[in-house]
Amino acid sequence: MLPRFLRYPRRPFRRALKVKQSMGQKSRKIEQCAVVGAGIMGGGIAYASVLAGVPIRMKDIERGQLERGAQEVERVLARQIKAGRLTEEAAQQVRSRLTAQLDYAGFDQVDLVIEAVVENLAVKHRVLAEIEGLVGPEAIIATNTSSLRIDDLASPLERPERFVGLHFFNPVPMMPLVEVIRGSRTSEATVATAVDYASTLGKTPIVVKDCPGFLVNRLLTAYLLGFAELIYDGADYIKVDEAMERFGWPMGPAYLVDVIGLDTMSHIIEIICAGYPERMVNKTLEPTKVLAAKGRLGQKSRLGFYRYETDSSGKRKKLPQPDTYQLLAASQPNGTREFSETEIVERMMLPMVLEAAVALEEGIVESTTALDTAMSLGLGFPKHAGGPLKYADSLGLDKVVELSDKYAKLGPLYRPSDKLRRMAAEKSRFYAS
Ligand code: NAD
């Protein structure tokens, strides 16, 4: 669950921000779709779809989940009506577009199925094969996985060219970004259709090449490893949060990890690190693990780095939790020490900037603008800095390399690519000035 700030912006992000995506192919109009899995994400996707006028079948194996998914749609509708954004009549129309079901009835009629079941490769393989056996030959199958590779998921499919990643962010009704992930066998027409569907939902689609973590979670992982290194070296997590919030992030890294869930984040980081062993070494993840091992999972267990209490008006409050320091001491072999705010910001931002440069070099996204937009919309990258690449330009690439050299002793996370070094030597930039 994301912070209130990201969950309930004053106005939902209705209009997709335009990022040029070179779609060489004609897309296919999605008139009917389905989502398999009625959990947090499936329910949100169903809501976004029916609100945008695209009827959807929502399938789950548990009646309770279907009911919860439908209740979630009701809850958001009620909020929209109360805020005067939707009439009761319009809400009724929206409701009529949703069919909650325990079977696969009607799947032979849909143009798109989005798989949103639990994050488990074997379960997803089984569900995807089931779906492929039911839908028409032209239908597209998408997955909302957050950490599994599209190519791995596609392996049992007979028509991998019709398979694509549609990575929505939580909570779906409010989050404007969708990463559209192109597997190595995904056809251009499938990508174009997925992009159009995300736009129909009022989202900003960014096409990303299949890689561990895709774009946003990959760069987030580099940033959180920077945080883990700081804690390992003795930094005070509250001071790190304060420094990063003053820098412009909606929340500091400890608070962010609390919101995402310490167990979830550890799992995602572990998978992503395994994909980049040459740069992302998971040695200092202990702080998150230490807390998670004590059952402190973040906001969902009311205790993580911080303690969470709900006041009499129902507002959630974040409070310091003194014993966090004692627990973290186990992962600070050299004790604690003071860090200047400048050092905190440099050590936190550099890994993300350097990983952004590598992702761009690898062609994970099409353009600097696409990368920076994804990081702003998906993660709330500080507005004044514009995105990791724009921020690098504003520092000057020579300064980025100079800082990397300053922190070289911290390991490969702080090592710039050869290309970035060349760009710095040539006084080059990511954006034309
Ligand atoms: P969840 O646990 O809330 O929901 C999963 C749902 O799938 C449950 O309702 C479960 O009953 C259902 N399910 C399990 N097996 C099924 C089957 N064989 N057929 C039909 N339904 C089945 O999970 P979630 O958080 O909604 O995550 C779903 C997917 O979205 C995962 O791949 C996750 O990685 C991804 N995702 C999650 C988030 C997030 O913040 N929660 C963000 C982005 C992507």
Side-chain angles (χ1 to χ4, degrees), residues 26-33 52-55 109-112 138-140 189-190 192-197 200-201:
K26 251 190 112 143
S27 67
R28 196 166 158 245
K29 190 161 168 41
I30 301 296
E31 285 172 356
Q32 300 269 343
C33 66
V54 186
Q109 300 298 317
V110 300
D111 308 301
L112 165 72
E138 299 294 310
I140 287 171
T190 299
T193 302
V195 163
D196 270 10
Y197 174 70
T200 302
L201 266 46

Side-chain angles (χ1 to χ4, degrees), residues 125-308:
H125 270 165
R126 205 178 55 241
V127 170
L128 289 170
E130 263 169 33
I131 295 170
E132 193 181 47
L134 291 161
V135 296
E138 299 294 310
I140 287 171
I141 303 176
T143 174
N144 186 45
T145 183
S146 44
S147 60
L148 300 167
R149 297 282 300 266
I150 300 304
D151 284 352
D152 291 343
L153 286 166
S155 61
L157 296 181
E158 279 171 21
R159 297 189 295 275
E161 68 280 6
R162 300 207 168 273
F163 183 61
V164 67
L166 263 179
H167 184 213
F168 288 85
F169 289 73
N170 184 15
V172 181
M174 296 303 168
M175 291 298 286
L177 179 69
V178 176
E179 288 181 306
V180 175
I181 300 117
R182 186 202 303 269
S184 63
R185 294 183 290 169
T186 309
S187 72
E188 284 304 313
T190 299
V191 172
T193 302
V195 163
D196 270 10
Y197 174 70
S199 301
T200 302
L201 266 46
K203 307 293 182 193
T204 298
I206 301 281
V207 179
V208 179
K209 236 175 30 193
D210 190 18
C211 67
F214 312 134
L215 179 75
V216 174
N217 283 342
R218 169 176 172 176
L219 268 53
L220 171 64
T221 295
Y223 174 81
L224 291 177
L225 288 175
F227 172 62
E229 288 276 356
L230 264 170
I231 299 297
Y232 182 83
D233 285 345
D236 176 338
Y237 70 97
I238 295 183
K239 295 226 167 100
V240 176
D241 271 7
E242 286 169 354
M244 298 319 288
E245 285 165 19
R246 265 194 290 274
F247 180 72
W249 284 95
M251 59 186 53
Y255 186 18
L256 179 68
V257 171
D258 269 2
V259 169
I260 295 171
L262 270 69
D263 50 343
T264 310
M265 204 59 235
S266 297
H267 178 67
I268 290 178
I269 290 179
E270 219 163 279
I271 292 180
I272 295 174
C273 285
Y276 306 100
E278 65 291 357
R279 286 190 307 286
M280 298 192 194
V281 185
N282 197 359
K283 72 174 193 315
T284 55
L285 242 193
E286 288 80 6
T288 324
K289 282 202 170 145
V290 165
L291 296 182
K294 297 273 173 203
R296 294 170 61 150
L297 307 182
Q299 276 189 346
K300 61 185 166 192
S301 70
R302 294 181 168 265
L303 211 53
F305 282 91
Y306 298 92
R307 179 162 51 89
Y308 298 88

Side-chain angles (χ1 to χ4, degrees), residues 39-41 60-61 65 116-117 119 124 127 144 146 168 170:
I40 301 171
M41 298 307 289
D60 205 286
I61 44 172
Q65 282 296 96
V117 303
E119 189 77 344
K124 283 190 189 287
V127 170
N144 186 45
S146 44
F168 288 85
N170 184 15

Side-chain angles (χ1 to χ4, degrees), residues 5 16 42 66 95 115 139 144 179 190 298 316 332 372-373 421:
F5 150 83
L66 279 180
R95 270 182 209 110
E115 170 279 307
N144 186 45
E179 288 181 306
T190 299
R316 194 180 344 230
Q332 294 174 317
D372 280 345
T373 303
R421 276 195 189 281

